[in-house]
Amino acid sequence: MKIFIDSADIEEIRYAYSGGVIDGVTTNPSLIKKAVERLKTNNDKINMSAYIKQLLIVAKGTPVSLEVTASDFKGMVEQGKKIYKAFNPATRNVVIKIPVNPSLKKGDGKEYDGIKAIKNLTASNIPVNATLIFTPEQALMAAKAGARFVSPFAGRIDDDIRSKRKSKFSKTDYFPMEGITDKKGVTNDNGIVSGIDLVAEIVEIFREQNIKSEVLAASIRNPRQAREAAIVGAHIATLPFDVIKELLDHRKTMEGMIKFTKDIVPEYAKLLE
Ligand code: E4P
């Protein structure tokens, strides 16, 4: 499974890439907002275009998803082409992120605009990451439209299922991939029992149907969920910076390091000088 970093913070991205095992970057307007706010607290001058160019360089040729902000077909295609033209020629790693369904109000007639935009950009050889996917059906439609990546939002589905149970939880809490069962049965969203279950169903459909789009497990909130994304066959998981660091964390590893460090005898130390 490839690992992307879900961040627009160049310092986080730089640090994550220093390990040599990160395969891409995903951003969204909320992550850009967070990065801009951090720059503002440092009183840094913000030149968004220069910032994005730098971010693309730091990603060393691996795919970086940049999201459109428009919510209609024409606007999304115009923005997608504009971003691609402005930034892709230098680093050749831009992917345009398009919401699978940009509708802001039920019945506003924009349900198909995401699919049409994905199809249009793909036809112009612009790679697309179809985002805000919450059902296997949406993933199937996005893949049919030609998306290179489809991004099911695992953590947000977990939030939604958990909120149906009205129990208190924090964003990074683990939610079991098999869901939660009570007397009434397993809590679900139209048959989906957890975010990882959503990822698993999409992986299975793509395998069954010989679909080439890659399943990019997004909205991953903790290392165990990342592990489960790998178990169910996600091609990629995009992880926040903290979760990437937690992938390497175990108290017994640190305890072992402290003990080994204490036990170094001078004879052995000299050998390794
Ligand atoms: C990535 O493409 C998504 O935008 C991101 O993973 C969403 O994560 P969140 O639900 O934790 O905000």
Side-chain angles (χ1 to χ4, degrees):
M1 182 176 78
K2 285 179 251 178
I3 296 177
F4 286 10
I5 176 166
D6 197 25
S7 173
D9 183 317
I10 290 183
E11 289 322 309
E12 287 184 359
I13 297 168
R14 200 189 303 281
Y15 183 80
Y17 270 76
S18 69
V21 293
I22 300 299
D23 306 293
V25 180
T26 49
T27 70
N28 63 36
S30 309
L31 292 168
I32 300 266
K33 180 178 176 216
K34 206 171 139 197
V36 166
E37 279 168 357
R38 195 180 67 80
L39 292 172
K40 281 184 182 161
T41 56
N42 295 346
N43 283 328
D44 291 348
K45 269 217 149 54
I46 300 164
N47 174 337
M48 207 62 228
S49 168
Y51 187 84
I52 297 291
K53 281 181 184 159
Q54 189 56 33
L55 192 158
L56 291 165
I57 291 168
V58 172
K60 300 177 181 178
T62 61
V64 176
S65 294
L66 299 170
E67 189 156 344
V68 297
T69 55
S71 58
D72 64 291
F73 166 68
K74 195 168 166 283
M76 289 190 291
V77 167
E78 274 171 14
Q79 288 184 350
K81 289 186 174 166
K82 188 175 173 185
I83 296 171
Y84 199 74
K85 194 170 164 215
F87 298 110
N88 192 61
T91 48
R92 308 222 154 261
N93 57 345
V94 173
V95 175
I96 302 299
K97 219 170 170 190
I98 300 284
V100 67
N101 176 352
S103 186
L104 297 169
K105 196 168 163 241
K106 217 168 168 59
D108 64 6
K110 295 200 296 186
E111 303 80 7
Y112 253 110
D113 282 25
I115 293 299
K116 288 194 292 186
I118 295 167
K119 222 172 154 53
N120 185 298
L121 292 170
T122 302
S124 309
N125 285 324
I126 297 177
V128 172
N129 175 355
T131 191
L132 286 170
I133 294 210
F134 290 92
T135 71
E137 299 87 308
Q138 289 177 326
L140 184 60
M141 294 291 270
K144 281 181 74 72
R148 173 167 167 196
F149 304 115
V150 299
S151 291
F153 275 37
R156 291 195 197 184
I157 271 285
D158 291 343
D159 293 345
D160 191 52
I161 292 172
R162 268 190 284 223
S163 65
K164 289 186 185 177
R165 301 174 61 87
K166 296 188 175 51
S167 52
K168 276 205 169 152
F169 58 89
S170 84
K171 197 178 161 183
T172 53
D173 285 349
Y174 173 70
F175 185 85
M177 64 190 278
E178 65 279 9
I180 300 179
T181 308
D182 59 18
K183 283 174 284 175
K184 289 190 203 147
V186 57
T187 313
N188 69 84
D189 182 53
N190 197 22
I192 297 297
V193 302
S194 70
I196 293 297
D197 183 37
L198 171 65
V199 173
E201 291 220 351
I202 297 171
V203 167
E204 196 181 334
I205 290 169
F206 284 15
R207 200 181 291 136
E208 267 314 298
Q209 302 288 332
N210 202 18
I211 289 170
K212 299 288 173 246
S213 310
E214 291 185 79
V215 180
L216 196 170
S219 183
I220 299 288
R221 301 325 185 20
N222 54 65
R224 191 164 167 189
Q225 205 179 24
R227 178 205 310 168
E228 290 172 350
I231 290 171
V232 301
H235 303 100
I236 307 156
T238 188
L239 312 178
F241 184 53
D242 287 345
V243 176
I244 289 178
K245 286 189 290 181
E246 283 173 60
L247 293 180
L248 289 166
D249 188 36
H250 196 277
R251 65 187 185 290
K252 293 297 284 181
T253 306
M254 192 178 286
E255 192 184 298
M257 268 312 292
I258 292 168
K259 173 89 173 87
F260 289 157
T261 306
K262 270 191 194 150
D263 287 346
I264 302 169
V265 292
E267 295 80 355
Y268 191 60
K270 201 163 171 30
L271 178 75
L272 300 178
E273 267 172 15

